[in-house]
Amino acid sequence: MHGFKGAIFDMDGTLLDSMRVWTRLTQGYLKQFGLHVTDEEYAACEGFSQPQVAQYFAERYDLPGGAAGLMEGMDRLITARYETVAKPKDGVLPFLDGLRARGVKMAIATLTARRHAEKALRDRDMLGYFDFMLTIEDVGVSKYQPDIYLMSAGRLGLVPADCVVFEDAPYACTTAKKAGFRVCGVAEPAYAAGEAELRAASDIVVEHSFDELAGKL
C-alpha cells in the first residue's frame, strides 16, 4: 500500500496507548453517587463526544450540577488518567519519523476534546509531527459520519484516495473505507469484539507494533 501522500491518525488507541483513560471513565466518576453504568448505557454512548456523554447521563440521573458538573468532574479524571497511563503506541515514533522524512502530510482526527488531546501529545513531544488536529468540536458529528476525515483530507489539499486513515475503532474504519480512504486498522484490545469488522474494513492491520509496517507503507 504505497504511494499515499497523506496520513490521518486517530489518537486514543492509535497514536497513544491510552484506551485505559476512557475505560469505565463515567463509572469512575458516578460511583461516588452510588450509580452503576450498565453495558447498555455504555453502548448507547459509542461515538459520543464528552459533552454528549455528560448530557446523556445528566438526563437519566439527578446529578449535582447537572451536565456541567459531570463535565467538570470527568475533566479532572481525564487529565489525571492521561498524565499517569497514556504512552505512545509501540513503534509509532519511528514510524512518524519515517513518514515525515518522506514528506507525507500528517493530521490528527480525534473525538477527544482539543484541550486533552493537545496536552497529551505535547507532553509526549508528538504534536509537532502533525500539520493540524481536528476534533469533535470542529466537526460536530461522530465518526459514524465521514466528516472529520473528509475535512482533514481537504485541509491537507488531498483527495481521500491519496490518504491513509489510521484507526483502532472498527466502526470508524468502516466509515473511512466507505468514504474512499485507504485504511490501516490498529488492533486494540478494547475493541476486540469488533475485530472482524476492523479487519474487513482495513487494507492493512497493525497487530502489535507500528514496526510491522516497515516496507509495507
Side-chain angles (χ1 to χ4, degrees), residues 5 7 12 18 23-25 35 43 48-49 54 67 77 104 177 182 186 188 200 208 215-216:
K5 301 175 182 177
D12 290 305
S18 55
T23 301
R24 297 289 170 178
L25 173 71
L35 297 174
F48 276 18
S49 65
L77 188 55
V104 174
K177 189 65 174 178
R182 288 179 274 182
V186 180
E188 165 56 54
H208 304 290
K216 300 177 181 177

Side-chain angles (χ1 to χ4, degrees), residues 20 23 32-33 59 61 74 90 97 109 148 157 173 183 191 200:
R20 286 183 297 162
T23 301
Q32 63 187 299
F33 305 113
E59 290 175 354
Y61 303 106
M74 289 201 300
D90 287 345
D97 283 329
I148 198 166
C173 289
V183 176
Y191 286 117

Side-chain angles (χ1 to χ4, degrees), residues 4-15:
F4 62 97
K5 301 175 182 177
I8 301 169
F9 290 87
D10 171 56
M11 187 183 77
D12 290 305
T14 301
L15 288 172

Side-chain angles (χ1 to χ4, degrees), residues 8-11 107-111 132-135 143 148-149 152 167:
I8 301 169
F9 290 87
D10 171 56
M11 187 183 77
I108 296 170
T110 178
L111 296 184
F132 60 87
M133 172 190 295
L134 289 181
T135 74
K143 288 180 177 177
I148 198 166
Y149 305 121
S152 295
E167 270 284 359

Side-chain angles (χ1 to χ4, degrees), residues 16-97:
L16 294 180
D17 185 1
S18 55
M19 291 304 289
R20 286 183 297 162
V21 171
W22 303 99
T23 301
R24 297 289 170 178
L25 173 71
T26 310
Q27 181 63 67
Y29 178 75
L30 291 180
K31 65 181 180 182
Q32 63 187 299
F33 305 113
L35 297 174
H36 175 73
V37 182
T38 67
D39 290 341
E40 290 76 16
E41 287 172 327
Y42 270 112
C45 294
E46 179 72 51
F48 276 18
S49 65
Q50 188 183 341
Q52 288 172 322
V53 171
Q55 188 63 42
Y56 175 84
F57 283 100
E59 290 175 354
R60 293 177 71 84
Y61 303 106
D62 184 19
L63 300 174
L70 181 54
M71 275 283 293
E72 183 179 346
M74 289 201 300
D75 254 6
R76 291 194 297 269
L77 188 55
I78 291 167
T79 298
R81 286 187 176 187
Y82 267 121
E83 290 175 350
T84 56
V85 307
K87 62 180 182 179
K89 291 285 277 192
D90 287 345
V92 74
L93 295 179
F95 181 69
L96 294 175
D97 283 329

Side-chain angles (χ1 to χ4, degrees), residues 161-172:
D162 286 333
C163 301
V164 177
V165 168
F166 294 80
E167 270 284 359
D168 67 314
Y171 77 93

Side-chain angles (χ1 to χ4, degrees), residues 171-207:
Y171 77 93
C173 289
T174 297
T175 298
K177 189 65 174 178
K178 287 181 177 178
F181 292 88
R182 288 179 274 182
V183 176
C184 177
V186 180
E188 165 56 54
Y191 286 117
E195 181 179 348
E197 181 181 1
L198 179 137
R199 293 183 183 280
S202 299
D203 298 282
I204 193 169
V205 175
V206 172
E207 305 286 355

Side-chain angles (χ1 to χ4, degrees), residues 91-157:
V92 74
L93 295 179
F95 181 69
L96 294 175
D97 283 329
L99 293 185
R100 182 163 60 181
R102 287 160 49 188
V104 174
K105 299 177 180 180
M106 291 184 277
I108 296 170
T110 178
L111 296 184
T112 300
R114 182 175 295 275
R115 62 190 178 280
H116 294 306
E118 287 187 345
K119 184 177 188 303
L121 292 170
R122 187 181 295 112
D123 287 351
R124 290 153 186 82
D125 295 323
M126 296 175 69
L127 195 59
Y129 284 102
F130 304 96
D131 294 76
F132 60 87
M133 172 190 295
L134 289 181
T135 74
I136 185 67
E137 297 145 318
D138 300 310
V139 298
V141 295
S142 77
K143 288 180 177 177
Y144 282 103
Q145 289 79 42
D147 301 46
I148 198 166
Y149 305 121
L150 296 173
M151 288 176 64
S152 295
R155 283 191 57 177
L156 290 173

